[in-house]
Amino acid sequence: MTTTEPPVREVVPAHRFDEARLHAWLRRALPEIGDTLQVRQFQGGASNPTFLLTRADGRHYVLRKKPPGQLLSSAHQVDREYRAMKALEGQIPVPRMRALCEDPEVIGTSFYVMDYLEGRIFRDATLPDQTPAERAAIYDDLNATLAKLHGVDFEAVGLGDYGRHGAYFERQVARWTRQYRDAESESIPAMDALIEKLPARIPADQSVSIAHGDYRLENVMFHPTEPRIIAVLDWELSTIGHPLADIAYNAFIWRSHSPGWGSLDGVDFTNSGIPTEAEYVDAYRRRTGRAEIADWPFYMAFGIFRLASISQGVYRRILSGTLASEREAINGCPPLAEQALAILEGRE
């Protein structure tokens, strides 16, 4: 997904499927695909495996599918990704959706196909190759695009039934508690404490909007040369939810110490062009017309708790062999849980 050769490889054994059957289905659903089809796999994609489809004339498409094996309940819902992006065409930058297949007989799981876009995805949140002005513009557009998403009339775009309205944090704490328990591999006292304490701290604010669920720099694509987002990606966790959950999760980059996930450790916020966490959140607050955000530590702690639960699920899938990964099987849940608890209790 860059202006050079896409970062792809041969399909890993755990994710192989019947390419001839896929091609036959696409010939019916997307006739322009043509008579030949090359399938390669994008590097990464820890959640939903992603593939580059190339037709005879070199034009590319992207396929996203569920991973193989037994999956956690309500996870890896590629149909929801497809529906959200389809509905948001013309509202915020998203790729053009081409086809959705929910028949597991085709390649073994549900999948969808969308247009391939050429642009930049910034894996290093410090943006070392950009000037201070470019860094400032990149983070400002990241902020503005999220605010614009939260202003979309979800009823008007056909997403009124995309999730339940209200009581978002009550339902989400319960959901990620279940996900964690389903994938639990060891005792993590900080997770137990969060599961006990978070429900009592849920704020009274019952704002409702489309919530992306995984909004961060690495999940958007920028124009090849301009500091402008051309696509918001990875909608697997999207729903009708609370907008402050999104901005807090987005702002976790200022507290993350994991280069793999993204971190701003060591950044000179005075001279780099990258705003501080407070400046970034305040810009969002102004754009969305909020006078204040009460109990910011709750929103931040909740976002990290959810990330900890996801990390536990990824770890469990690496152990079971259903996730193709070259990285060492290290559980990222405990340090995240401890950090979330420290923030909730005012110790960080």
Side-chain angles (χ1 to χ4, degrees), residues 37-60:
L37 184 69
Q38 180 185 42
V39 180
R40 289 174 290 172
Q41 185 168 5
F42 281 98
Q43 298 172 23
S47 182
N48 292 326
T50 307
F51 304 83
L52 183 72
L53 310 181
T54 306
R55 68 187 195 187
D57 64 358
R59 179 171 176 176
H60 299 310

Side-chain angles (χ1 to χ4, degrees), residues 61-188:
Y61 300 87
V62 175
L63 181 149
R64 290 263 285 177
K65 66 183 285 291
K66 289 186 176 184
Q70 185 174 355
L71 306 176
L72 296 175
S73 61
S74 73
H76 312 286
Q77 298 183 55
V78 296
D79 56 320
R80 290 180 64 81
E81 285 194 312
Y82 180 89
R83 182 183 175 191
M85 287 187 279
K86 185 76 172 176
L88 288 167
E89 287 180 12
Q91 302 293 320
I92 66 165
V94 289
R96 182 179 177 187
M97 297 295 103
R98 291 293 187 167
L100 170 69
C101 178
E102 298 180 272
D103 180 2
E105 294 299 317
V106 179
I107 64 170
T109 69
S110 299
F111 68 91
Y112 67 87
V113 175
M114 60 185 172
D115 278 359
Y116 170 86
L117 295 176
E118 194 171 84
R120 297 176 293 169
I121 293 179
F122 296 110
R123 307 293 182 187
D124 185 338
T126 67
L127 304 175
D129 297 328
Q130 307 300 305
T131 66
E134 288 168 335
R135 294 186 193 110
I138 286 166
Y139 272 90
D140 191 60
D141 202 48
L142 185 70
N143 187 289
T145 301
L146 182 61
K148 188 173 184 180
L149 170 65
H150 292 160
V152 171
D153 183 338
F154 52 82
E155 296 278 6
V157 299
L159 293 177
D161 63 345
Y162 193 61
R164 286 191 280 172
H165 303 185
Y168 174 77
F169 288 108
E170 289 85 349
R171 290 182 284 105
Q172 283 285 298
V173 170
R175 173 189 176 180
W176 293 107
T177 296
R178 288 194 303 271
Q179 299 280 54
Y180 168 71
R181 294 301 188 200
D182 286 347
E184 194 171 8
S185 59
E186 61 200 82
S187 175
I188 303 175

Side-chain angles (χ1 to χ4, degrees), residues 19-342:
E19 295 181 11
R21 184 171 290 184
L22 168 67
H23 192 198
W25 186 89
L26 285 172
R27 289 289 302 274
R28 296 189 297 272
L30 188 62
E32 67 187 54
I33 204 72
D35 294 331
T36 62
L37 184 69
Q38 180 185 42
V39 180
R40 289 174 290 172
Q41 185 168 5
F42 281 98
Q43 298 172 23
S47 182
N48 292 326
T50 307
F51 304 83
L52 183 72
L53 310 181
T54 306
R55 68 187 195 187
D57 64 358
R59 179 171 176 176
H60 299 310
Y61 300 87
V62 175
L63 181 149
R64 290 263 285 177
K65 66 183 285 291
K66 289 186 176 184
Q70 185 174 355
L71 306 176
L72 296 175
S73 61
S74 73
H76 312 286
Q77 298 183 55
V78 296
D79 56 320
R80 290 180 64 81
E81 285 194 312
Y82 180 89
R83 182 183 175 191
M85 287 187 279
K86 185 76 172 176
L88 288 167
E89 287 180 12
Q91 302 293 320
I92 66 165
V94 289
R96 182 179 177 187
M97 297 295 103
R98 291 293 187 167
L100 170 69
C101 178
E102 298 180 272
D103 180 2
E105 294 299 317
V106 179
I107 64 170
T109 69
S110 299
F111 68 91
Y112 67 87
V113 175
M114 60 185 172
D115 278 359
Y116 170 86
L117 295 176
E118 194 171 84
R120 297 176 293 169
I121 293 179
F122 296 110
R123 307 293 182 187
D124 185 338
T126 67
L127 304 175
D129 297 328
Q130 307 300 305
T131 66
E134 288 168 335
R135 294 186 193 110
I138 286 166
Y139 272 90
D140 191 60
D141 202 48
L142 185 70
N143 187 289
T145 301
L146 182 61
K148 188 173 184 180
L149 170 65
H150 292 160
V152 171
D153 183 338
F154 52 82
E155 296 278 6
V157 299
L159 293 177
D161 63 345
Y162 193 61
R164 286 191 280 172
H165 303 185
Y168 174 77
F169 288 108
E170 289 85 349
R171 290 182 284 105
Q172 283 285 298
V173 170
R175 173 189 176 180
W176 293 107
T177 296
R178 288 194 303 271
Q179 299 280 54
Y180 168 71
R181 294 301 188 200
D182 286 347
E184 194 171 8
S185 59
E186 61 200 82
S187 175
I188 303 175
M191 283 297 279
D192 294 333
L194 287 165
I195 289 167
E196 178 185 354
K197 292 173 180 286
L198 281 170
R201 281 281 291 275
I202 294 174
D205 185 325
Q206 291 289 331
S207 299
V208 177
S209 73
I210 299 172
H212 179 275
D214 195 13
Y215 190 82
R216 52 197 176 102
L217 186 65
E218 195 174 1
N219 283 344
V220 301
M221 178 180 285
F222 281 80
H223 184 277
T225 60
E226 301 172 16
R228 171 173 59 85
I229 291 173
I230 61 171
V232 179
L233 306 169
D234 294 320
W235 291 82
E236 177 194 344
L237 299 175
S238 60
T239 188
I240 302 302
H242 200 298
L244 295 184
D246 262 355
I247 184 61
Y249 184 86
N250 184 200
F252 174 59
I253 194 74
W254 278 267
R255 312 216 185 192
S256 169
H257 307 302
S258 168
W261 191 88
S263 175
L264 293 173
D265 284 350
V267 167
D268 177 358
F269 295 109
T270 301
N271 299 306
S272 67
I274 297 175
T276 64
E277 177 189 326
E279 290 168 341
Y280 187 81
V281 175
D282 196 50
Y284 170 87
R285 181 192 59 76
R286 291 194 306 272
R287 282 186 164 114
T288 54
R290 287 181 173 272
E292 64 174 355
I293 299 178
D295 200 3
W296 178 249
F298 167 82
Y299 297 107
M300 182 61 68
F302 165 77
I304 303 172
F305 165 73
R306 191 185 65 169
L307 187 58
S309 179
I310 293 170
S311 296
Q312 180 66 50
V314 170
Y315 177 66
R316 187 63 176 266
R317 286 168 53 216
I318 292 174
L319 291 182
S320 68
T322 60
L323 174 59
S325 176
E326 291 82 24
R327 60 185 171 182
E328 185 181 355
I330 298 175
N331 192 352
C333 181
L336 287 169
E338 289 160 10
Q339 183 180 20
L341 185 61

